[in-house]
Amino acid sequence: MKAQKYSKEGKLLSEIELPAALFESKYSSGAIYDAIKAENANLRSGNHHTKTRSEVSGGGKKPWSQKGTGRARQGSIRAPHWVGGGTVHGPRKRDYSYNVSPKVKRRAVLSVLNKKAQDAVIKVVEDLDPKEFSTKAFATLFSNIGLKNTGVIGFLVGGENDFLKKSVRNIPTVKYINSKRIAVRDILYNRNLVITEGALGEILKHYGEGK
């Protein structure tokens, strides 16, 4: 598979062959489903919580005597059928997170990359190493590449770069992605995927065939 390669300024340089170790693997919708499901679960806070009758305050004394009042016997005003009482079988704090196996994660990443390559929405750019913050410079870069007003852009870079990250965060259509911490959600949910040469090397190192 091939992709267009651009300079740091967004000038088309050539058409390059994408690494076969990444872009000639089998597509697996099941792996993508499993990876996305796990990532969505890991984003859940799980902080919903209702109090049982042992956790609500009050109720240390019987509301009235057991016998002689003519009313039904009651043991505590914190019982579930009282207003302000405890909740029965309500939601409790819990951890929803779980991990998929490295094999499934790798298959999911490669499947998404292959689909993007087949759809011809992958662009490769030279490594960027800005020395100052400039949102305008990166807006111009994406515009020169031809991605202005084309929807969400996944911007896959090789590692953390504060200047780069803070320069693109004010562009609402750009999603900054660190190649060392790839989430399948990030590379899937976009219209175009821009990958730096360094990021391509990192992906090949961690997800290439034979790993």
Side-chain angles (χ1 to χ4, degrees):
M1 296 184 187
K2 295 184 178 182
Q4 293 177 327
K5 180 182 175 180
Y6 294 85
S7 68
K8 298 177 181 180
E9 294 76 29
K11 180 182 178 181
L12 179 61
L13 299 177
S14 62
E15 191 173 62
I16 63 172
E17 193 75 31
L18 294 171
L22 291 175
F23 294 91
E24 290 186 6
S25 57
K26 293 181 180 178
Y27 180 83
S28 174
S29 59
I32 295 175
Y33 171 82
D34 289 340
I36 294 292
K37 185 179 178 182
E39 289 174 3
N40 286 342
N42 295 344
L43 290 174
R44 296 185 68 175
S45 60
N47 60 356
H48 39 46
H49 184 79
T50 54
K51 292 182 178 181
T52 64
R53 63 182 296 166
S54 66
E55 295 171 313
V56 291
S57 61
K61 179 183 177 182
K62 280 174 70 69
W64 48 77
S65 300
Q66 181 81 350
K67 298 177 180 294
T69 65
R71 290 179 288 187
R73 56 193 175 189
Q74 301 292 330
S76 171
I77 60 172
R78 298 301 103 183
H81 61 279
W82 282 73
V83 175
T87 301
V88 181
H89 305 308
R92 307 286 288 175
K93 286 184 180 179
R94 57 166 292 190
D95 181 9
Y96 288 92
S97 65
Y98 68 96
N99 295 319
V100 294
S101 70
K103 183 177 180 180
V104 172
K105 171 68 179 291
R106 175 180 168 277
R107 177 58 57 202
V109 169
L110 294 183
S111 295
V112 173
L113 291 177
N114 273 269
K115 185 65 170 65
K116 296 291 184 183
Q118 289 172 7
D119 294 342
V121 294
I122 289 182
K123 314 288 185 185
V124 179
V125 297
E126 293 179 326
D127 283 336
L128 304 165
D129 189 22
K131 302 301 181 184
E132 60 182 5
F133 304 111
S134 177
T135 299
K136 182 179 179 180
F138 285 95
T140 302
L141 168 64
F142 295 125
S143 179
N144 291 343
I145 293 176
L147 301 181
K148 186 176 181 180
N149 300 324
T150 57
V152 178
I153 303 167
F155 189 30
L156 190 52
V157 303
E160 284 293 325
N161 184 309
D162 249 8
F163 289 113
L164 200 159
K165 187 175 185 177
K166 291 181 180 180
S167 294
V168 301
R169 69 181 179 183
N170 284 332
I171 307 175
T173 56
V174 176
K175 174 66 178 178
Y176 179 92
I177 309 169
N178 184 341
S179 62
K180 296 181 179 179
R181 294 196 299 272
I182 291 179
V184 180
R185 289 166 48 93
D186 293 339
I187 60 175
L188 177 64
Y189 297 144
N190 54 67
R191 289 286 185 86
N192 293 277
L193 192 58
V194 177
I195 308 176
T196 64
E197 287 182 307
L200 198 58
E202 283 286 338
I203 300 170
L204 182 61
K205 177 181 176 182
H206 292 288
Y207 296 101
E209 291 290 349
K211 292 292 182 183

